[in-house]
Structure formats: structure tokens, C-alpha cells
Amino acid sequence: MSTEWAIEFHALTRRFGQHTAVDALSLRVPRSSVFGFLGPNGAGKTTTIAMLLGLVRPTSGHITIFGHDVQRTPTTALQRVGAMIEYPAFFPYLSGYDNLRVLARADGIAQPHARIQQVLALVDLAARSKDRFKTYSQGMKQRLGIAAALLNQPDLIVLDEPTNGLDPAGTVEMRELIRTLASEGRTIFMSSHLLHEVEQVCDQVAIIKQGKLIASGKVTELLHRGQGLLVQVTDQAEAAVALLGKLDWVNSVRHEGLTLLIDAPHERAAEINALLTRNDILVAEIRTREASLEAFFLQVTEQP
Amino acid sequence: MATLLHLIQAEWLKLTRRPLIWLLYGTFVVLLLITFAALLFVVLLHDGAIGGVAVQVLNDNQINQFRQELRFPGVFGALLGQINSIGGILAMILAAGVIGNEYSWGTLRVQLARQPQRGYYLIAKLLTLLLILLVGMLLVILAGGLFTLIAGWLLGNLGRVSAGDLGLLLLGMLRALYVMLPYVLFVVAASIIGRSVLAGVAGGLIFLTLDGGAGTLSFLSQTDNPIVRGIYNLLLQPNISRLVAQHRQSFGTDPTAVTGLDLSTLPPTWQAIIVIGVYSIVFAGYAYVSFTRRDIVGAS
């Protein structure tokens, strides 16, 4: 089945008793993209990923992977998927190599030894592959999780917090690995709380809060929406907000103490300065607000 | 079918490399050897072979039973009996570990995300568990056989093993496995429902307690009321006792001499096979439905 979307969530909802973990989530993930799935703790990210992988059943709505319904045809839908969910889970008494051998046997992979060696080398774990999993550091466990996700040469790779426990060098390596996988035409769907990392590797992101989608789009577009001006006034911050809020070209304005956070074009800075001064509000500083995914994330998730 | 075979291969690798299994089998062999050593000690005391004084606290019939169980082929009946007593408990612990640890380690979600045919996965797991239990039985019989070589030499009568005895031994192993089935399947279902080893072990203990409690109601089997007798004989315990008694009977020893069991009150073999089968199907069905329909991970 040919479709331009790797994943489609259609009004996906999951309730646990009275608690709605995921609330009518509709989202499309394009093929061959690196898609960041963000949200504060408890936002419903892991439940969504568990539903994507057929581990949790939706209360309503459905998910398709490359056009195949996960609920109705799970084998077909998931056969091209590799995943690491929540944390790297393996048999503690088996070596890294044997853990992959278990998965390769279950998958029915032909010539498993060669493939296992290949993925172990890819995540730089070949030297420790004969050691027991329980002796691995958190970073090594994480890398083995990635190796397991890549074992069956998937077209879609689902990674839940892939940089968890990695040191800075490991994080950079992971970033490079994700880029390499994406360059091979694979789709990466990843959740992460390291927004700086997400900003560097993802083409698109979606942000959920309390199970609901609150923002999604290309990273560049979202960053543009996060841009604006920071104005430091000496007093009358409330009055300044009221004044600036009346302007057509100001999308939004709020204040934190005596700092005004204004969503407006940079080139209007001089006009803002003039307007405030005319109204006896003294301006101590005006500067451009740095555009970052983190700032945008905080902006959208902190709103009530 | 290929999927099932692949999954069984994966399960076999997991189980045969698992230290818990060899620890349980080692424990079983040690307990078995202690039991057999005690039997040998009692017989040697009776014969006055230790310290030159005969200590005769058991009657001749009981001592003769012990002698038969310390030589071939009588030892096979005793070994199969042990497999269904101590071995049954260890099998339940093993079953709880095999299922429950997959939840606590998180390995189940990793595997089911790759293999969404949960039914196949569970069937592969159960078949492999039964295979590994058969391997365990072979080890125990081998250890018991080696001990019997020593005991037979000390007592001056090794006995002999015919091809027919080996056939009966194979049949006995399958019977022992069949007797274990409802207990193992109950523990599997409990581990799935509770998503943990603890739930499986706790469920198994409750089941054993209730099952043992049913054994204390054995006086009901002697009542004149056919309805009460019939209902009692639908419980698991008397049907299990019927099949377990056949272990010793098939090798020419008398199960009543050692256990005090009254065979005349037990249900017939055909009923025992059906009743144990029905219990097993019910527990397996419950495990299957729970495993295939419930969420693998909870709210997070």
C-alpha cells in the first residue's frame, strides 16, 4: 500500500478509568522524515507510542503505519517497524549478542550472525557484545536498544527518549546515527525531552499536553513562531502590555515582572520604543528574543 | 508454522541460558538425593548393616517397598512420584519466572512490538516450557539412576531394566507432565493477569493450598451418597492422585504401602484424564484470552 505518510493517527483516544491519557490525537508523520514527538512528563507520549506498537489498545480512533491499520492488521503494519520504547529492556543474564540473537531468531532473520555483527558495529558495541547485559552502563544499554530496533532493517524507527543516559559524546553519536538512518530514506519517530537535540535532528515536531495535540509543524516554522522581542521597562509593565496589545502587528504580548515578551516583527522595535516613551513608560533595554524550540515548547506548554 | 518454530527457537535460547532453571534443577536433584539417601539409610538400619544392630521400626511390607524403589525398575516409579510432588512445585516457580519476568524486565513489550501475533508467542512459550520440563525430568531420572547404581550395589540387588520398562518410563514422563499441566497453566494465567512473577507465585500458592485443602475432604469419597462422591471426584486432587499412583503401579511397586492412599476411592483413570484435561483447558484458555486481549503495559 503506497502512501506519503509513514504514520497516521486518526482521532486516537485512550482512557484509563477516569483519566484520559490521549485525547482525540490526529497527526500525520511524513515518510522519510525525522519527526519529534514532544510533551511534558505525563503528557501521553509513551501511551501513544505503546498504541502505535500495538501494546496498548485505543479506546477509540485508529493508527495506520504505511497505510496498514495497526489494530486490524498488526503483523503487516508492524513488520517494517523497529522500536525502542521507554527504556532498553533485555534479558539481564544474556550477553548483548545473545539478546540480539533471541530477537533475530524470533524475527526469522536469515544469516543472523552477520546482521547482528553489523548492528553492533553500527552502535559501537561490538567489543562488549559478549558481556552480560546486566554489566552494561546506561549508555551501552541504550545503544543495544538502538541496535535491536535496527535489527530487522525497518523502514520506520520509533525511538522513545533515545539519548537517555548517553554522555555528550554518545549524544552526538546518536544524533549522527539518526541523521544517517534518515539519509537512507527511513522514517524516524522519536520522543525526547532534550529539545536542543530535537531541534538539531528533526524536520518536524508535534507537541502534546494532557493527551491533546497543541502544536505541530516543521521545526523552522515553529521557530519562526517563537521569535519576537524582549523589552525591559522600568515600571508600568501592565500598562505597557495594554498599550501594545492594541497594535495590529503585535500577535501577542505578556509580561514577566518588568520584562515584556512580545510576538512581533524585529523591525518594529524602534516603533515600540517610541510608543512606550510617548506614554511615559521608560525602556531600559530592547533585544531580539532568541528563537529556540525550547522557548517555543515552554511557551505553548505553560499556557493554561 | 514457520513463525511458531522461530519463536520456539528464540524461547529455547532464552530458557536454556537462564541460570534460574539450572538452579531449580540442581535444587531438585539435591533434594531427591537426600530423600533417596534417607530411604537407603532406613533400609540399611533395618538390615543391621550400620553399627551391627538392626533397627526395625517399619514393617516388612514397607521395607520391601523401599528396597524395590532402590533398584531398577522400581526406582522409576519413585522418581516419577517425586517429579509430581517436589518437581511440581519447582515447575510452578519456573512457570511464574518464565512469564512474570518478561513483564518486570520489560522484555515482553520489546518482543511483542516485533511479533504482534500474541497467540503464537504464548503458545511458543508454553511449548518450550514443557520441553524444558521434559529435559529437567530426564536429568532427575539420570541422577536418580546413578544413585540407584550405588544403592543397588550396597544392597546387593541392582535389579534390571527391560525395553518395556523404558517404554513405561517414557509413558510415565508424559503422564507426569500431564499431571503438572493444570498447576503450571494456572500459574501462567496468574502471572499474566498480575503481570509479575509475584502474582504467579502467589496464585500458585493459593491454588496449592486450596488443592491440598480438597485433599482433606477425601472422606467425602467414601460416602454412600453418589452425588457427593461424584462432586468430590470432579475436584483436581483425587484425579491427580489416580494418575500419580500409576507411576509406582506401572513399575510393580505398591503406592498404598508408602503413601497410605486408598485406591478404591479414587476416580477411574479415564475420568482422571478427562478432568485434568478440562482444568488445563480452562486455565490455558483464561491465560490465552488475557494475554491476547489485555494491554501489555499499563498507564504511563
Side-chain angles (χ1 to χ4, degrees):
Chain A
M1 197 179 290
S2 180
T3 166
E4 63 181 298
W5 307 109
I7 309 170
E8 292 173 85
F9 297 99
H10 300 274
L12 192 69
T13 299
R14 174 63 209 220
R15 293 190 194 92
F16 294 100
Q18 297 295 310
H19 171 62
T20 304
V22 179
D23 194 357
L25 178 70
S26 290
L27 187 65
R28 284 171 164 177
V29 177
R31 272 174 186 260
S32 306
S33 65
V34 182
F35 197 99
F37 190 53
L38 316 175
N41 287 340
K45 299 189 297 293
T46 298
T47 301
T48 304
I49 291 175
M51 285 192 281
L52 172 66
L53 299 174
L55 300 173
V56 168
R57 292 174 202 285
T59 306
S60 62
H62 68 282
I63 307 169
T64 58
I65 297 177
F66 299 120
H68 300 285
D69 193 298
V70 173
Q71 286 289 106
R72 287 188 197 152
T73 54
T75 309
T76 318
L78 293 167
Q79 69 181 359
R80 293 158 66 190
V81 179
M84 186 178 72
I85 174 169
E86 275 189 288
Y87 56 89
F90 292 97
F91 299 98
Y93 56 89
L94 289 180
S95 67
Y97 179 86
D98 279 340
N99 266 297
L100 295 184
R101 203 147 69 100
V102 166
L103 297 176
R105 276 189 180 185
D107 289 350
I109 291 174
Q111 296 182 311
H113 177 73
R115 181 62 191 153
I116 291 169
Q117 295 292 4
Q118 206 176 356
V119 291
L120 283 170
L122 196 64
V123 298
D124 196 22
L125 211 53
R128 293 285 306 273
S129 65
K130 298 292 179 188
D131 294 347
R132 287 186 180 191
F133 176 73
K134 65 181 175 187
T135 66
Y136 283 7
S137 68
Q138 183 58 36
M140 290 165 72
K141 288 177 179 175
Q142 202 74 8
R143 282 186 275 151
L144 188 64
I146 302 286
L150 299 176
L151 198 58
N152 58 344
Q153 310 210 37
D155 294 325
L156 169 64
I157 301 165
V158 180
L159 302 173
D160 195 4
E161 302 286 356
T163 50
N164 250 3
L166 296 183
D167 57 21
T171 305
V172 172
E173 282 172 22
M174 183 64 68
R175 192 193 307 154
E176 292 306 316
L177 179 61
I178 289 171
R179 280 184 180 144
T180 305
L181 294 169
S183 70
E184 292 168 356
R186 301 176 208 269
T187 309
I188 319 278
F189 182 78
M190 60 180 275
S191 78
S192 177
H193 64 275
L194 296 178
L195 299 174
H196 178 65
E197 288 303 319
V198 171
E199 191 179 320
Q200 292 192 56
V201 296
C202 292
D203 312 316
Q204 297 197 30
V205 295
I207 301 174
I208 64 167
K209 182 185 173 187
Q210 293 172 345
K212 290 181 179 168
L213 183 70
I214 53 170
S216 70
K218 290 185 175 169
V219 172
T220 48
E221 287 171 5
L222 296 180
L223 288 179
H224 182 73
R225 279 161 61 182
Q227 285 177 336
L229 295 164
L230 285 176
V231 177
Q232 190 77 33
V233 292
T234 55
D235 58 2
Q236 301 184 74
E238 292 278 356
V241 167
L243 197 61
L244 294 170
K246 291 174 187 167
L247 300 173
D248 293 341
W249 41 269
V250 171
N251 296 320
S252 68
V253 57
R254 63 194 171 93
H255 74 97
E256 287 174 6
L258 292 173
T259 304
L260 309 179
L261 297 104
I262 308 165
D263 181 4
H266 306 157
E267 55 274 19
R268 300 277 194 170
E271 287 176 60
I272 289 172
N273 185 29
L275 178 68
L276 293 175
T277 310
R278 270 203 310 274
N279 287 277
D280 297 327
I281 301 171
L282 297 180
V283 176
E285 182 187 4
I286 295 184
R287 61 187 163 89
T288 305
R289 191 164 71 173
E290 257 184 52
S292 73
L293 192 59
E294 188 166 333
F296 179 74
F297 178 85
L298 292 173
Q299 186 187 325
V300 294
T301 56
E302 284 177 359
Q303 283 169 1
Chain B
M1 196 62 186
T3 305
L4 193 60
L5 281 175
H6 290 149
L7 290 170
I8 289 173
Q9 286 179 328
E11 287 299 319
W12 183 256
L13 178 61
K14 279 192 263 178
L15 288 188
T16 51
R17 296 290 181 89
R18 189 164 181 181
L20 171 74
I21 288 179
W22 305 113
L23 181 72
L24 287 175
Y25 286 172
T27 306
F28 189 16
V29 167
V30 169
L31 289 173
L32 186 81
L33 293 181
I34 290 171
T35 309
F36 273 55
L39 278 186
L40 178 63
F41 186 68
V42 169
V43 173
L44 290 173
L45 273 182
H46 184 92
D47 293 348
I50 299 173
V53 181
V55 182
Q56 298 178 332
V57 290
L58 296 176
N59 62 43
D60 286 345
N61 186 29
Q62 288 170 321
I63 287 295
N64 282 336
Q65 286 304 313
F66 285 0
R67 283 187 206 284
Q68 284 194 50
E69 293 188 357
L70 288 169
R71 66 175 179 245
F72 296 107
V75 65
F76 294 141
L79 285 168
L80 291 170
Q82 293 287 349
I83 284 169
N84 278 140
S85 54
I86 304 170
I89 295 168
L90 297 180
M92 290 167 82
I93 295 170
L94 183 61
V98 164
I99 301 287
N101 276 137
E102 295 263 12
Y103 284 98
S104 53
W105 288 334
T107 45
L108 190 60
R109 55 187 163 77
V110 173
Q111 292 165 99
L112 291 184
R114 313 170 77 93
Q115 174 46 265
Q117 291 170 293
R118 295 188 194 177
Y120 274 178
Y121 184 83
L122 185 63
I123 290 167
K125 221 168 184 42
L126 291 177
L127 288 177
T128 317
L129 179 62
L130 295 181
L131 273 177
I132 207 86
L133 287 176
L134 271 175
V135 169
M137 280 186 207
L138 275 175
L139 289 177
V140 165
I141 288 167
L142 193 66
L146 288 173
F147 182 86
T148 306
L149 289 176
I150 300 166
W153 174 70
L154 284 172
L155 296 173
N157 187 353
L158 262 178
R160 55 192 289 275
V161 181
S162 66
D165 291 331
L166 292 178
L168 285 175
L169 178 61
L170 183 64
L171 186 68
M173 286 171 67
L174 295 176
R175 184 170 51 229
L177 199 62
Y178 190 67
V179 165
M180 280 183 192
L181 259 187
Y183 300 94
V184 167
L185 290 171
F186 184 87
V187 168
V188 166
S191 301
I192 290 170
I193 291 160
R195 293 190 186 121
S196 67
V197 178
L198 189 64
V201 171
L205 284 176
I206 292 168
F207 186 59
L208 277 181
T209 307
L210 292 176
D211 192 44
T216 64
L217 301 175
S218 59
F219 65 89
L220 292 176
S221 63
Q222 292 163 355
T223 176
D224 292 334
N225 188 328
I227 297 173
V228 173
R229 213 167 50 231
I231 291 173
Y232 174 75
N233 280 341
L234 289 178
L235 295 176
L236 199 51
Q237 182 66 225
N239 294 286
I240 292 285
S241 296
R242 163 56 71 196
L243 292 195
V244 170
Q246 289 184 347
H247 290 329
R248 283 188 165 88
Q249 281 177 314
S250 58
F251 292 102
T253 55
D254 178 11
T256 61
V258 183
T259 61
L261 202 63
D262 182 359
L263 296 179
S264 66
T265 64
L266 296 177
T269 302
W270 64 265
Q271 183 188 321
I273 292 170
I274 292 172
V275 169
I276 292 170
V278 168
Y279 275 93
S280 300
I281 289 168
V282 169
F283 296 151
Y286 197 55
Y288 186 89
V289 169
S290 302
F291 191 73
T292 52
R293 296 198 180 166
R294 291 182 77 215
D295 291 339
I296 296 301
V297 292
S300 57

